Amino acid sequence: GMGCVDAHRDVAKRCLSKGFSLSVVPGGEREQLLAQRGQVEELVLKQRQGFVRLALQHGVPIVPVYVFGEAQLFKQSKCLFGLRSWIQKKLGIALVMPYGPFGLPFTKFPDPIRMVVGKPVAMPRLPDHTSQDLQEHHARYVEEVCQLFEQNKESAGYGDTMLRIV
């Protein structure tokens, strides 16, 4: 079955220990806040290593997934961005201000959405991994996501779009 749990690290550890699979969005609130309609899509992933740390501790694979068009559904206002960014960093709440055609709030653009799923990236079981281990396996995952993006952007209808890892 499927269900939802708190996104806390301890909850994730318990779930993995019980043999459950997790779906994790590493970019979280920051990625929501930074999402902008345009030719460059950004993934907040450069400093997000906790999900790789968990995978290494439990020896579970990480399956890369990319959703083309997600950032193209809305434009996002830059109004009070500094304040909203501060709130996101301090409280973990993304106060997004999306709008669509004609500036109408919460009205989406009709761009296509396509989710692609990559091959699982095997992670060795390394409960006592080093910082170097973590960086190496994080880099493997980031490379897989980038390849998944490049291999599928044309068929997804986003051939001119670039991916930036931030």
Side-chain angles (χ1 to χ4, degrees), residues 49 56 126 129-139:
Q49 297 181 335
L56 289 172
L126 299 173
H129 60 271
T130 65
S131 175
Q132 185 176 344
D133 292 331
L134 180 60
Q135 289 176 9
E136 173 190 332
H137 293 290
H138 180 266

Side-chain angles (χ1 to χ4, degrees), residues 11-13 25 58 75 77 85 96 121 149 156 163-164:
V11 175
K13 285 180 181 180
V25 181
H58 295 272
K75 289 185 177 182
S77 174
S85 183
V96 296
V121 180
F149 180 88
L163 181 64
R164 180 182 305 141

Side-chain angles (χ1 to χ4, degrees), residues 78-91:
K78 292 286 189 183
C79 181
L80 300 173
F81 182 79
L83 174 64
R84 292 185 296 129
S85 183
W86 180 84
I87 289 170
Q88 182 273 313
K89 288 178 181 175
K90 296 295 181 189
L91 303 177

Side-chain angles (χ1 to χ4, degrees), residues 4-15:
C4 296
V5 296
D6 182 5
H8 195 273
R9 180 178 295 123
D10 291 337
V11 175
K13 285 180 181 180
R14 274 198 310 274
C15 288

Side-chain angles (χ1 to χ4, degrees), residues 25-64:
V25 181
E29 294 91 2
R30 191 75 191 154
E31 198 168 280
Q32 290 174 21
L33 194 60
L34 295 176
Q36 285 293 335
R37 181 175 167 80
Q39 294 301 110
V40 178
E41 295 198 2
E42 294 184 337
L43 282 184
V44 176
L45 198 52
K46 207 176 271 187
Q47 302 300 319
R48 304 293 174 106
Q49 297 181 335
F51 69 105
V52 176
R53 181 178 296 112
L54 279 171
L56 289 172
Q57 289 170 345
H58 295 272
V60 296
I62 302 174
V63 180

Side-chain angles (χ1 to χ4, degrees), residues 55-73:
L56 289 172
Q57 289 170 345
H58 295 272
V60 296
I62 302 174
V63 180
V65 174
Y66 193 84
V67 181
F68 287 94
E70 181 181 27
Q72 305 305 322
L73 290 177

